[in-house]
């Protein structure tokens, strides 16, 4: 069962520190030692070691030898943070799109950055098959047995 109070406190603890958040994002890509983290973040080793110790206590980071890496829990947490930040960036950059629901308003450079559009497919009707989007939607949903979120955008 979800414990919203403790889960929220843990999330707030991570996000209240740019250092802890940045370390999670860096370790999401690859394991690092303190020297490489110092080079990337331009912070003293003592600051990094303090943040790393806090992340270890939360079971988000582990250390083997001189290298720090994300635990399975840390990897999931960093992935969720990455998705959240990608979507937040899109929302902040795409206010007009969100209010008008027009893909023409999304800059092409931004489309590749929107996490919930990754692996998406644009399906539109044509003169010969007006119900093509609906049929495609029903075909996909009939194959899927789990939870799915669909965002349907209809032309104005």
């Amino acid at each position: 069962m979800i414990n919203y109070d403790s889960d929220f406190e843990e999330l707030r603890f991570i996000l209240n520190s740019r250092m802890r958040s940045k370390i999670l994002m860096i370790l999401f890509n690859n394991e690092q030692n303190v020297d490489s983290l110092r080079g990337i973040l331009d912070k003293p080793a003592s600051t990094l070691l303090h943040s790393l110790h806090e992340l270890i206590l939360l079971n988000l980071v582990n250390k083997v030898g001189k290298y720090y890496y994300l635990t399975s829990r840390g990897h999931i947490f960093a992935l969720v943070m990455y998705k959240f930040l990608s979507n937040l960036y899109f929302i902040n950059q795409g206010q007009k799109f969100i209010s008008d629901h027009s893909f023409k308003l999304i800059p092409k450079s931004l489309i590749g950055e929107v996490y919930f559009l990754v692996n998406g497919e644009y399906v539109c009707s044509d003169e010969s098959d007006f119900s093509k989007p609906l049929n495609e939607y029903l075909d996909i949903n009939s194959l899927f047995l789990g939870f799915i979120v669909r965002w349907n955008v209809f032309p104005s």
Side-chain angles (χ1 to χ4, degrees):
M1 182 173 169
I2 297 173
N3 184 340
Y4 290 102
D5 290 334
S6 66
D7 292 341
F8 178 75
E9 286 303 314
E10 188 174 329
L11 177 64
R12 191 169 66 91
F13 179 75
I14 300 297
L15 296 178
N16 274 341
S17 165
R18 285 187 177 170
M19 184 59 54
R20 289 186 292 261
S21 299
K22 286 180 180 180
I23 288 172
L24 282 177
M25 292 292 96
I26 291 168
L27 294 178
F28 182 68
N29 294 322
N30 199 7
E31 63 184 25
Q32 303 285 332
N33 62 29
V34 174
D35 291 333
S36 62
L37 287 171
R38 263 188 19 208
I40 295 167
L41 296 170
D42 194 31
K43 296 290 180 187
S46 60
T47 302
L48 295 171
L49 289 169
H50 178 75
S51 294
L52 286 164
H53 178 70
E54 291 173 327
L55 294 170
I56 288 171
L57 290 176
L58 291 172
N59 193 26
L60 299 173
V61 171
N62 209 346
K63 180 182 178 186
V64 172
K66 294 183 177 184
Y67 287 90
Y68 293 88
Y69 63 93
L70 293 179
T71 62
S72 297
R73 185 173 185 268
H75 190 82
I76 292 169
F77 196 94
L79 180 62
V80 168
M81 276 180 48
Y82 174 77
K83 290 178 184 181
F84 173 74
L85 293 173
S86 295
N87 290 336
L88 186 62
Y89 175 76
F90 169 71
I91 289 167
N92 289 335
Q93 297 298 313
Q95 292 292 335
K96 185 104 173 98
F97 164 74
I98 290 169
S99 62
D100 293 348
H101 299 295
S102 173
F103 276 103
K104 294 175 186 170
L105 299 172
I106 304 175
K108 288 182 182 178
S109 60
L110 185 59
I111 289 177
E113 298 298 319
V114 180
Y115 189 82
F116 58 82
L117 293 179
V118 171
N119 297 325
E121 184 178 328
Y122 180 74
V123 179
C124 65
S125 57
D126 54 33
E127 292 178 13
S128 64
D129 189 1
F130 186 71
S131 61
K132 185 176 180 181
L134 177 61
N135 292 335
E136 186 78 20
Y137 176 80
L138 294 173
D139 287 345
I140 290 170
N141 281 337
S142 68
L143 298 173
F144 192 76
L145 301 175
F147 178 78
I148 190 165
V149 175
R150 293 262 180 223
W151 184 22
N152 295 320
V153 180
F154 300 101
S156 54

